[in-house]
Amino acid sequence: MLKEQRRKARGAYASAVARAARQPDDTAAAAAVRSARSDYYAEALADYIRETVGRAPDLTPAQRDRLALLLRTPDGGAAA
């Protein structure tokens, strides 16, 4: 079952896609789709992370820092 925020984000995404389909030349509608898609996927990832962290054993500060780096940088800190 979807969490409330994720359900709302999915609805906003679907609405933006429908609006953009009716106005294919509208760049603002296309931007709204990209933004809504990003919001939806961020909520989906947040749900997954919460569930995974909830099942995991306690992490050390170094492990938490390494995992947080994956979210902060596009290459997961490989260039650092």
Side-chain angles (χ1 to χ4, degrees):
M1 179 165 224
L2 296 180
K3 305 274 191 242
E4 180 72 14
Q5 287 182 317
R6 187 170 169 193
R7 187 181 58 76
K8 287 179 179 180
R10 184 179 67 171
Y13 178 37
S15 178
V17 168
R19 224 177 359 263
R22 289 190 303 272
Q23 303 164 341
D25 296 329
D26 186 354
T27 57
V33 169
R34 287 190 297 276
S35 177
R37 182 177 189 268
S38 178
D39 291 345
Y40 171 68
Y41 278 94
E43 286 300 328
L45 282 169
D47 285 348
Y48 178 77
I49 291 167
R50 272 189 221 97
E51 291 169 13
T52 303
V53 169
R55 289 190 309 265
D58 290 340
L59 300 173
T60 67
Q63 290 169 326
R64 285 193 301 270
D65 289 343
R66 185 172 57 90
L67 294 171
L69 188 60
L70 292 171
L71 296 173
R72 279 189 238 123
T73 60
D75 63 355

